[in-house]
Amino acid sequence: MASYADKKAALLGGRSGNGPRAATKNAADKAKKPAAKPTGVRPLPAKPARAGLRSSGLSAAQRADKKKEADEEYRQGMKFLQTSLTRWKPDHFSATSYFERAARFYRAADEHAEAKNAYLAAAESFREAENFGSSARNYALAAGVAEGLGDDREASSLYREAAMSAHMTAAKLERPEPYLMKAAIAMAGESLEEAVGIVKEACEVAVPAEVVESGGEGFQPATAQLDCIRNAYAFLCEYGKFQEVLALEPRCKIMYKAMGQDLTLNQYFLSCTVLMLATSGFDAAWSLFESHLQDTEYLHSELCKAAENLLVALRSYDEEQLAEAKKQRRILSLSPYVLRALDRLTSEGVEAPLPEQLTSAGPAAATEAPPLIIDNSLPPSEVKETEAGTNDANLNDELDALNIGGDDDDDDELDLT
């Protein structure tokens, strides 16, 4: 009697998983294939290709059948939008299910342009029916198809429509910030300035102006709002928009404090010191560093000490000391784009004026940049802050370096706020 494994092998042809059956080769053919000779040179990684639209894998006859089904579903949906003697206004609620099925069938038939139109029809009908969450999701699906077809500007516009629908959801069940960030990423290939404007808009939605004016009092953000601020920081660093990164400081402070992410805020402070050195010089960076010392958590952290060592090395015009300061592990944990700006610093200042984009490429080449890497935390082995027993000693060293107080002063009487 055949075992279960034998039956499975006979049914699947010796393959595993649910993918299509691969062509088999006999042992003689495999033996004839020459082995690859080691070259001793590690090949360079291939550039990430643009994510296109995947084929359904159906045969031509099956795709034709799916297209007929999609056309019928779309036609039925349009019937509910027509008025008659018995229907005085369009029935958007009933039409949505037909449009969604039509979009799925068009995708199965590899008719992606028609699928995008069906998603748009569903999104608009859901908006008319005041089902804003479903409207946002269908706008996003249409934007994804447009992006796969290579129309980045239309994709960005559709993501913004998704954000608008998400903003109208009851009790904020859908957040607009993720859609706005997707719109910015899609627009970056067409116009970097417009993309930066969308990022700023997303940050203003995540942390409104009235919250900034109140200092974050009573602010209770959602995770999507936190992700928006982190993604905005990564996006602006990646494209060399350092002034915009520095302008995020009020919103970063409010967001990270509200979410209890003191370590991430401290990393942001350190990044701002480095970027201010690279863009505005030593005096502006020192003033910014002194303003950050008002934060007690930052004052007691190793990241504050790393920023101080970097500034002291620059003030002393010591290249060796500066090189050691750049190698501090707290410095090396920053975003790679921030570190690239740091590499240009010498004891005499910045080697050359920083370009608008560190890659010295235009918006067209910006699409080939590596994926966004949000460096918002250190490895678990490095997250541990200084022990409580050494905090007082480090604090005294920092105050001495800043010429605050004297050796005979009583540190307990200092007002560090």
Side-chain angles (χ1 to χ4, degrees):
M1 183 176 181
S3 63
Y4 173 76
D6 296 335
K7 292 180 179 179
K8 182 178 179 181
L11 178 63
L12 301 179
R15 63 189 176 98
S16 59
N18 298 322
R21 184 178 302 179
T24 60
K25 295 183 178 181
N26 56 38
D29 292 336
K30 292 182 179 180
K32 293 178 182 179
K33 185 177 181 181
K37 296 181 180 180
T39 60
V41 179
R42 186 176 181 180
L44 294 175
K47 291 184 178 180
R50 181 187 181 92
L53 295 172
R54 187 173 57 184
S55 173
S56 62
L58 299 180
S59 64
Q62 291 173 321
R63 290 198 303 270
D65 292 339
K66 287 295 181 183
K67 188 178 185 307
K68 290 180 181 179
E69 294 180 34
D71 291 338
E72 179 62 23
E73 293 289 338
Y74 191 84
R75 187 179 63 82
Q76 291 293 333
M78 292 299 296
K79 278 186 176 181
F80 284 97
L81 302 185
Q82 297 173 357
T83 57
S84 62
L85 293 176
T86 58
R87 186 185 297 118
W88 293 358
K89 61 180 181 179
D91 186 0
H92 290 282
F93 181 79
S94 299
T96 55
S97 59
Y98 290 98
F99 290 143
E100 286 187 309
R101 283 197 295 271
R104 290 196 296 269
F105 291 153
Y106 278 130
R107 292 293 295 271
D110 291 342
E111 299 289 341
H112 300 295
E114 286 80 358
K116 181 192 68 175
N117 294 332
Y119 281 131
L120 278 176
E124 292 168 359
S125 290
F126 272 123
R127 181 180 285 182
E128 291 293 332
E130 298 185 357
N131 188 342
F132 299 112
S134 297
S135 174
R137 288 188 287 274
N138 278 275
Y139 271 123
L141 289 171
V145 176
E147 201 169 5
L149 292 173
D151 194 342
D152 291 333
R153 185 170 289 276
E154 183 184 13
S156 179
S157 176
L158 292 176
Y159 278 128
R160 289 174 65 86
E161 289 291 339
M164 185 180 300
S165 292
H167 186 67
M168 293 187 288
T169 55
K172 301 299 180 185
L173 297 178
E174 285 279 340
R175 295 295 311 181
E177 295 89 351
Y179 299 118
L180 287 174
M181 288 306 304
K182 289 182 178 180
I185 295 172
M187 181 58 72
E190 295 289 329
S191 171
L192 185 57
E193 294 303 323
E194 292 184 45
V196 171
I198 298 174
V199 170
K200 293 179 180 179
E201 181 184 351
C203 293
E204 292 171 0
V205 173
V207 185
E210 55 270 19
V211 175
V212 177
E213 293 174 359
S214 65
E217 183 177 356
F219 183 52
Q220 297 180 349
T223 304
Q225 294 166 274
L226 171 65
D227 291 341
C228 173
I229 295 297
R230 291 162 52 189
N231 290 339
Y233 167 80
F235 181 93
L236 296 173
C237 283
E238 180 176 350
Y239 289 104
K241 297 295 183 178
F242 294 148
Q243 293 296 339
E244 285 76 5
V245 174
L246 296 172
L248 282 179
E249 181 170 335
R251 288 181 164 84
C252 285
K253 289 174 65 175
I254 291 173
M255 179 63 69
Y256 294 144
K257 286 290 185 182
M259 299 296 286
Q261 296 198 356
D262 293 327
L263 180 60
T264 306
L265 178 60
N266 293 345
Q267 284 185 312
Y268 175 75
F269 283 157
L270 179 56
S271 298
C272 286
T273 301
V274 173
L275 295 180
M276 188 64 80
L277 279 170
T279 56
S280 303
F282 177 83
D283 293 336
W286 184 263
S287 299
L288 182 65
F289 173 70
E290 288 182 328
S291 68
H292 292 163
L293 294 180
Q294 303 300 320
D295 189 286
T296 307
E297 293 291 337
Y298 182 63
L299 179 64
H300 287 264
S301 69
E302 293 181 4
L303 290 101
C304 177
K305 188 65 177 177
E308 181 187 355
N309 292 339
L310 183 62
L311 291 167
V312 170
L314 283 169
R315 185 172 58 182
S316 62
Y317 297 97
D318 190 337
E319 286 291 348
E320 294 183 0
Q321 187 178 357
L322 177 59
E324 290 298 324
K326 290 181 179 180
K327 294 178 181 178
Q328 298 175 95
R329 65 187 181 96
R330 295 298 185 180
I331 296 285
L332 297 177
S333 68
L334 300 178
S335 166
Y337 303 101
V338 176
L339 294 179
R340 197 177 303 176
L342 179 62
D343 289 340
R344 303 174 67 87
L345 287 176
T346 66
S347 61
E348 301 296 331
V350 183
E351 290 180 352
L354 280 170
E356 187 66 17
Q357 287 184 260
L358 293 180
T359 57
S360 68
T367 56
E368 299 180 359
L372 291 179
I373 301 174
I374 303 172
D375 185 14
N376 65 322
S377 61
L378 296 175
S381 61
E382 299 182 5
V383 170
K384 185 177 180 182
E385 298 287 355
T386 54
E387 297 293 337
T390 62
N391 278 342
D392 293 337
N394 291 339
L395 177 59
N396 291 334
D397 293 339
E398 294 160 6
L399 295 177
D400 291 341
L402 296 173
N403 295 323
I404 300 178
D407 295 336
D408 298 331
D409 292 339
D410 185 5
D411 292 340
D412 295 336
E413 296 178 359
L414 291 174
D415 183 8
L416 301 181
T417 62

